[in-house]
Amino acid sequence: DTGVSQNPRHKITKRGQNVTFRCDPISEHNRLYWYRQTLGQGPEFLTYFQNEAQLEKSRLLSDRFSAERPKGSFSTLEIQRTEQGDSAMYLCASSLAFGNQPQHFGDGTRLSIL
Amino acid sequence: GENVEQHPSTLSVQEGDSAVIKCTYSDSASNYFPWYKQELGKGPQLIIDIRSNVGEKKDQRIAVTLNKTAKHFSLHITETQPEDSAVYFCAAPRQNTGNQFYFGTGTSLTVIP
């Protein structure tokens, strides 16, 4: 079991730049989730996929954020025109699809906006 | 998370003592409650979970209890060790969603050797 893999682990960029993160879920998991976590808080849901379909998006996900999972395997999260407030840890998780299932998290991508 | 409250926010215990962390939830339809441990620089790691058809589940030094009537669930760690020091999060599912969770705000546990 290789677990959920995220890269890069750290990203530092200037305000206004675009960034893209990648998540590789556990291979047999057909649900994939993106969360954002700021210091001292629990993860906050952003969006999730079942296979290649993006089924739900949080109100936290502004128009500058877009996520894809084109082949139902890995996923990318892109943030356009980054702002200071986007600085956070972006976590990916995956799970099986039926009922309430344990979500397994990657180690996240820490984004710092200069 | 707006539907899950977690207490305390920080907890210090002597090595060997027990630690208890409590969470309350608001959605009576919630039926699955995981606990996660997060170490510095890492993602949350699932350590134990419980479904609403049982009141208690135990795995070695870790146990979780669930009171559906009062809508609260607790994590119990016995015989604490320094490596138990981490931030612990509880979670509960959002109503009518595809397995989305509300997370608590976390408890920073320090085990003093």
Side-chain angles (χ1 to χ4, degrees):
Chain A
D1 178 11
T2 56
V4 177
S5 175
Q6 291 188 250
N7 64 82
R9 291 296 315 279
H10 304 275
K11 181 69 177 179
I12 302 172
T13 193
K14 293 182 180 180
R15 183 166 50 93
Q17 297 295 305
N18 298 344
V19 293
T20 301
F21 312 138
R22 176 176 169 131
C23 171
D24 288 88
I26 294 172
S27 57
E28 62 267 28
H29 287 179
N30 40 12
R31 282 190 180 165
L32 184 149
Y33 311 79
W34 285 100
Y35 288 84
R36 180 169 66 190
Q37 185 178 28
T38 53
L39 200 62
Q41 299 296 317
E44 292 179 298
F45 170 81
L46 293 178
T47 188
Y48 100 95
F49 294 82
Q50 180 151 320
N51 301 314
E52 65 276 8
Q54 187 174 16
L55 296 186
E56 290 180 43
K57 291 195 286 188
S58 164
R59 289 170 295 173
L60 294 175
L61 208 66
S62 79
D63 291 344
R64 297 183 297 104
F65 287 67
S66 62
E68 294 182 342
R69 193 182 184 199
K71 297 181 181 179
S73 56
F74 73 91
S75 175
T76 57
L77 178 68
E78 181 182 17
I79 309 174
Q80 296 182 325
R81 306 181 302 282
T82 51
E83 301 174 356
Q84 291 280 353
D86 296 333
S87 294
M89 175 78 85
Y90 290 85
L91 293 163
C92 176
S94 69
S95 77
L96 295 170
F98 46 90
N100 282 312
Q101 293 293 325
Q103 296 182 19
H104 298 271
F105 283 83
D107 284 337
T109 294
R110 179 164 295 285
L111 174 64
S112 298
I113 306 298
L114 301 177
Chain B
E2 58 194 43
N3 277 19
V4 177
E5 293 188 3
Q6 183 172 346
H7 300 281
S9 57
T10 60
L11 180 60
S12 291
V13 298
Q14 291 291 139
E15 182 177 357
D17 288 350
S18 296
V20 181
I21 303 169
K22 297 181 179 180
C23 285
T24 59
Y25 60 98
S26 57
D27 181 5
S28 56
S30 294
N31 58 4
Y32 173 71
F33 306 92
W35 283 92
Y36 288 87
K37 174 184 181 182
Q38 188 172 26
E39 297 174 323
L40 200 61
K42 295 195 172 182
Q45 178 190 8
L46 179 72
I47 55 172
I48 196 166
D49 56 11
I50 191 168
R51 298 189 185 273
S52 58
N53 57 343
V54 297
E56 183 175 1
K57 182 176 177 181
K58 193 171 181 181
D59 182 3
Q60 299 182 344
R61 296 185 298 109
I62 295 173
V64 55
T65 58
L66 171 64
N67 183 327
K68 287 187 63 180
T69 303
K71 289 191 282 189
H72 67 70
F73 56 110
S74 299
L75 178 70
H76 304 254
I77 306 173
T78 58
E79 301 170 30
T80 53
Q81 301 168 2
E83 51 266 37
D84 294 331
S85 296
V87 179
Y88 292 81
F89 292 97
C90 62
R94 295 175 176 228
Q95 189 176 17
N96 299 323
T97 67
N99 207 32
Q100 292 180 44
F101 291 138
Y102 283 114
F103 281 81
T105 50
T107 297
S108 178
L109 173 65
T110 301
V111 179
I112 303 164

